[in-house]
Amino acid sequence: MHHAREVSQVIRGMPAADGDGVKLTRLIGSPYLDQLDPFLLLDAFGSDSPQDYIGGFPSHPHRGFETVTYMLAGSMRHEDSAGNAGVIEAGGVQWMTAGRGIIHSEMPQQSAGLLAGFQLWINLPSTHKMTPPAYQERTAAEIPIETLKDGTRVKVIAGQTRRGTQGVIENGLTEPVFWDVSLLAGGCLDERLTPTHNAFIYVIAGELTIGASQDLLVTGQLAILGSGDGVVIEATEASRFLLIAAKPLNEPVERAGPFVMNTRAEIDQAFADYRQGRLA
Ligand code: MN
């Protein structure tokens, strides 16, 4: 029995600035939505004015969670304290498990033109917060795209579709689904979703309806999905959206800036390790 999820809440983004003055829209990790277990933060950035992004995100630490950077346009160069470096190009993804700690910078690899994308933070379970840092980095060409008869395209970054297309990112901890979906006008996505996963949709462009109640969602809105074992999404005009889901951890969350742990003492330890050069 297929029970499509309905919209439980629609969230508006909050204009914010982070790093060295990068303008972005904060969708998770804001006063409107503090977190959606295990998702701690979602930022959308997109501008063709260099002054909105040129400062980038100079050297900063992370501990206790994963960061996912997904670029829609432009490119971002990253470099960490262990000597790892690379450039995430348009359509590519970097899935970084910060674990016990990294110090890195994320800087635009351009001085003009459109830079657009997302950064998502996914929490790590207490058993893996101090795991060694690791990267999974994939270019657009490496990410499978499933094309359906009605023209629907599902770019499968993580998770598996019901037709069996497997995402390029491996993650057994929170079993994430991360799809970039394009629908033609009148097109539909009818998919399964693990009932115990928390899930949301963010509309990159267009206008669509969700579930049997056909709640309307427009560009820039994030919808938290309620309970069910599937999703039915129909486009009233050509649309593009992210469908993201993962297993909730149901653990205490203590967060302070770039550190997300389970207890206050662990946060204090992270700051002490960072100050004393023992974080990364
Ligand atoms: Mn970072």
Side-chain angles (χ1 to χ4, degrees):
M1 181 68 192
H2 197 54
H3 174 60
R5 294 179 181 229
E6 304 289 337
V7 172
S8 77
Q9 203 182 342
V10 176
I11 301 292
R12 284 189 47 204
M14 191 185 82
D18 211 336
D20 187 10
V22 177
K23 284 193 186 152
L24 46 84
T25 302
R26 186 146 290 165
L27 292 144
I28 301 177
S30 83
Y32 302 128
L33 178 60
D34 176 50
Q35 58 169 308
L36 179 67
D37 188 11
F39 305 111
L40 302 161
L41 177 139
L42 177 65
D43 285 340
F45 48 92
S47 174
D48 54 12
S49 303
Q51 69 266 23
D52 290 345
Y53 61 72
I54 203 72
F57 303 87
S59 183
H60 60 277
H62 295 287
R63 174 181 279 181
F65 56 99
E66 301 187 282
T67 69
V68 181
T69 304
Y70 178 47
M71 297 300 293
L72 299 182
S75 52
M76 192 80 95
R77 176 174 174 80
H78 67 92
E79 239 179 275
D80 76 13
S81 46
N84 301 298
V87 176
I88 314 162
E89 306 278 3
V93 66
Q94 183 202 57
W95 199 290
M96 183 184 80
T97 305
R100 68 170 308 282
I102 60 113
I103 298 168
H104 75 164
S105 62
E106 298 153 283
M107 304 298 287
Q109 180 85 332
Q110 65 196 58
S111 53
L114 179 64
L115 185 85
F118 297 93
Q119 185 159 105
L120 175 71
W121 291 9
I122 307 179
N123 208 356
L124 283 168
S126 56
T127 50
H128 287 73
K129 283 189 174 292
M130 296 298 275
T131 200
Y135 292 91
Q136 297 183 68
E137 214 164 301
R138 300 287 181 264
T139 64
E142 294 173 310
I143 303 173
I145 294 175
E146 192 178 274
T147 303
L148 309 183
K149 271 187 301 218
D150 69 354
T152 294
R153 285 159 52 92
V154 185
K155 186 173 169 187
V156 188
I157 295 162
Q160 192 181 35
T161 69
R162 67 187 171 99
R163 287 165 195 80
T165 305
Q166 181 68 48
V168 283
I169 300 295
E170 309 264 336
N171 188 323
L173 299 173
T174 49
E175 299 164 14
V177 169
F178 192 124
W179 299 345
D180 176 354
V181 183
S182 299
L183 300 180
L184 301 178
C188 181
L189 180 79
D190 183 344
E191 267 292 346
R192 306 223 172 96
L193 219 46
T194 305
T196 45
H197 274 29
N198 281 333
F200 68 87
I201 283 166
Y202 174 76
V203 185
I204 297 170
E207 192 181 277
L208 38 87
T209 66
I210 299 176
S213 59
Q214 300 205 304
D215 282 326
L216 190 71
L217 207 62
V218 302
T219 303
Q221 287 183 324
L222 182 152
I224 302 173
L225 302 181
S227 61
D229 63 1
V231 283
V232 177
I233 298 162
E234 292 173 283
T236 55
E237 58 183 64
S239 297
R240 183 178 183 187
F241 62 92
L242 298 180
L243 171 59
I244 296 178
K247 186 170 85 174
L249 297 174
N250 295 306
E251 291 183 0
V253 174
E254 281 287 338
R255 63 196 290 175
F259 306 131
V260 183
M261 303 299 288
N262 297 108
T263 68
R264 186 65 228 178
E266 290 166 345
I267 291 290
D268 293 344
Q269 186 64 52
F271 277 107
D273 288 349
Y274 182 46
R275 275 194 308 269
Q276 294 159 21
R278 288 189 280 109
L279 183 109

